[in-house]
Structures are given as structure tokens and as C-alpha cells.
Amino acid sequence: MRVVVTGGAGFIGANLARALLARPEVSEVRVVDNFVTGRKANLEGVDVTLLEGTILDRDLLDTALTGADAVVHLAALPSVPRSIADPLASHHANATGTLEVLEAARRAGGPYVVAASSSSVYGANRELPKRETMRTAPMSPYAVSKLASESYLAAYHHCYGLGVLPLRFFNVFGPLQPAGHAYAAVVPAFLDAALAGRPLTVHGDGGQSRDFTYVGTVTQVITEAVVRRVVHPDPVNLAFGTRTSLLELITELGSVLGADLAAEHVDPRPGDVRDSQADNARLRELFPEVVPVPLREGLERTAAWFRTL
Ligand SMILES: NC(=O)c1ccc[n+]([C@@H]2O[C@H](COP(=O)([O-])OP(=O)(O)OC[C@H]3O[C@@H](n4cnc5c(N)ncnc54)[C@H](O)[C@@H]3O)[C@@H](O)[C@H]2O)c1
């Protein structure tokens, strides 16, 4: 089968391209990426067909989707703080971008579409664990754009019969996730600081918690979804119900690196949710065979990759 990965030069996309190509069912992976946050180097030595440009370019999408069996739509401007700095840019890339991908899928005769949503859609709803049936309460333009994306997927399923799967990612981490920029995620930011001997910057008291998911587990679920064409118009949490505070994460990282890590506390970030933990009953029902990589092992693999940089 031929699979299009939008955002395939990004952190999750480049890991996914490798996972897809390892499956005998997949004959070609086509990546659409404009390298706004992704990097060509992430795909070095990976046998993909690269289409450079934006998902807002209809002609490019039509070329990419010709004869495609599935689309994994990951292209987006990620990060809550980035969306607060520039809400319209996030809206164009994430919400309008998803609509353009769905329209292109419709024009292409309806390939299967899996897309990345985010746990940030739960936002101000503090109930734990997060069940997909809970009220969504976005707290940032990024979260709004992700809620729009998953809603568009459901609408295209109901109106046009498109086979879709909106997945709500929680905090994904692993190799190829960059540090050293203003919008870096917490695991690479901590690892980068720790390996350089700098204190780890913690926003707030560090008691905020997240459901961390190793990228290899995420790509395993998406690959299974594509190969088995798992359709579910309502969103599905892609995380495994663990809850780790940032202070616990620092302790675990210290143990992985064999170092005592110092933290420096700064102001909490606006738009950040306090706690996040997935209910994964729906995921388990759809993907009973997937066994997640435990946090410790994932951190070890990620640290090993960071050491090669
Ligand atoms: N990493 C996480 O923890 C996490 C959590 C929740 C949701 N997500 C979602 O997962 C997806 C992948 O995230 P990631 O962490 O790999 O981020 P990333 O920034 O590494 O990947 C996004 C990719 O999309 C590309 N892109 C952005 N705008 C584009 C456009 N207009 N046209 C074409 N390409 C474009 C970027 O260049 C990049 O390669 C995103 O949709 C993100 O919102 C990620």
C-alpha cells in the first residue's frame, strides 16, 4: 500500500516513516512537509518520496494523494505557547490545513485518513483520567485548532463516508525530538540541559503531571491502524494511563543519566493544563496487541540518541 505522511519530516513523522517502511504491506511512503519545524536530515537514509511544500497547496496535495491508500496527517504547528504568540498561524496550519487534507482525500477518491489531535482539547476540564466522552474545554488557540481538526474528521466520515481515525496524542517523546528552541517539549528540553550541565527549567512548582508516551509506541499504533484500516470517527486517546509529575520525571532522568539534576523554577506558562492522564479503554479495544514501551526504557533510548548529537 501507498501511504502519505503529512509532516513526515517532523519528530513523530520521521519515526513513523521508518516504522511504516518496516512493514511488508507498505510499498511506498510519501512525505509532504514544508520544513517549518521539521528537518530534511530527519529522513536521511529513509527511502521516502519527498514532496516539499505546504498542505495549504492543493496541487501539491493532489499529486501526493494520487493512488494513495492512506494518509497519516501529522503536519501542524505544534506547541501551546507558539499558538498564543501567533494564533492565526496555528489556525491556518492546523485547522485549515486539516480541512485541505480532507478535501484532497475526497478528491482522491477517499483514502483512509488518520490524524493527530491532542490531549490539550481537554484543557480546563480537570477531571481525571481523561475519557474521550468528557466535555472538551480548550485553553489555547492550539487546542482549539486540534479540536477543529478532529471534528472535521468526524464530519467527513458522516458526510462523505471517509474512513477516519482521529488520535489524541498526549506527551510524546523520543529520538528526533529537538531541543534548543523556544517551543521545545519538556523531555528534550530537560535532556539537553542535563547533558550540558545546566539546571532544568521548570515552569511552576513541577507538580504538574503528564501521560508520557514513547514515540515508538505511537508509531506502532499508527502503523497498525493504517495496515488494518482501523476506522473510528470519534477521537481515541493515544496514551496508556500513566501519570508522571515533572519532579518525578527529573528524578527518573537523573537515575537514567546517573547524575543529580538541579531544577530552576520559573513562572507557570499560560494555557498549560495542570494534570493529564488518559483513560485508554477505547485504545485497548481497538489495538489490544500494542504493548507500550515503559517510561524508563523510553528515556534510556532517548538519552542514548541525545548522546549521539
Ligand atoms: N509531540 C507531542 O507530544 C504531540 C502531542 C499532541 C499532538 N501532537 C501532534 O502530532 C503531530 C506531530 O507533532 P510533532 O511532535 O512530530 O511535531 P513536529 O513539529 O516535529 O512535526 C510537525 C511537522 O509538520 C510540518 N508542517 C507544519 N506546518 C506544515 C504545513 N503547513 N505544510 C506541510 N508541513 C507542515 C513541520 O515542518 C514538521 O515536520 C502534530 O500534529 C502535533 O500537533 C504532538
Side-chain angles (χ1 to χ4, degrees), residues 62 65 71 100-111 113 156 162:
D62 284 343
L65 268 64
V71 179
E100 290 286 4
V101 168
L102 288 166
E103 274 296 277
R106 201 155 75 91
R107 287 194 298 272
V113 180
Y156 270 64
L162 207 66

Side-chain angles (χ1 to χ4, degrees), residues 61 69 85 94 125 153 156 264 271:
L61 282 183
D69 302 288
N94 303 0
N125 188 336
L153 255 70
Y156 270 64
E264 180 184 68

Side-chain angles (χ1 to χ4, degrees), residues 247-259:
L247 296 181
E248 287 166 342
L249 178 67
I250 292 173
T251 305
E252 195 65 32
L253 268 179
S255 152
V256 165
L257 299 174

Side-chain angles (χ1 to χ4, degrees), residues 159-246:
C159 299
Y160 309 113
L162 207 66
V164 298
L165 179 67
L167 293 169
R168 286 181 180 163
F169 298 174
F170 281 58
N171 279 68
V172 187
F173 72 98
L176 302 183
Q177 192 173 29
H181 64 93
Y183 304 121
V186 65
V187 171
F190 279 4
L191 266 169
D192 187 48
L195 291 173
R198 294 191 311 270
L200 315 193
T201 304
V202 176
H203 292 273
D205 64 5
Q208 65 268 45
S209 63
R210 296 290 181 265
D211 197 339
F212 291 101
T213 320
Y214 183 65
V215 69
T217 309
V218 170
T219 61
Q220 198 193 342
V221 169
I222 298 174
T223 305
E224 269 309 309
V226 165
V227 168
R228 286 201 279 115
R229 204 175 183 280
V230 177
V231 172
H232 199 284
D234 292 329
V236 179
N237 289 338
L238 204 181
F240 290 82
T242 58
R243 190 169 156 209
T244 309
S245 73
L246 295 196

Side-chain angles (χ1 to χ4, degrees), residues 10-12 33-34 36-38 54-55 74 76 78 117 142 146 170 172:
F11 154 53
I12 298 173
D33 204 301
N34 65 355
V36 68
T37 58
T54 172
I55 52 167
L74 302 176
S117 182
Y142 171 73
K146 285 292 165 180
F170 281 58
V172 187

Side-chain angles (χ1 to χ4, degrees), residues 2-6 28-32 49 51 63-68:
R2 296 192 190 98
V3 185
V4 176
V5 182
T6 71
E28 186 188 3
V29 172
R30 297 177 189 159
V31 165
V32 179
T49 308
L51 293 107
T63 305
L65 268 64
T66 301

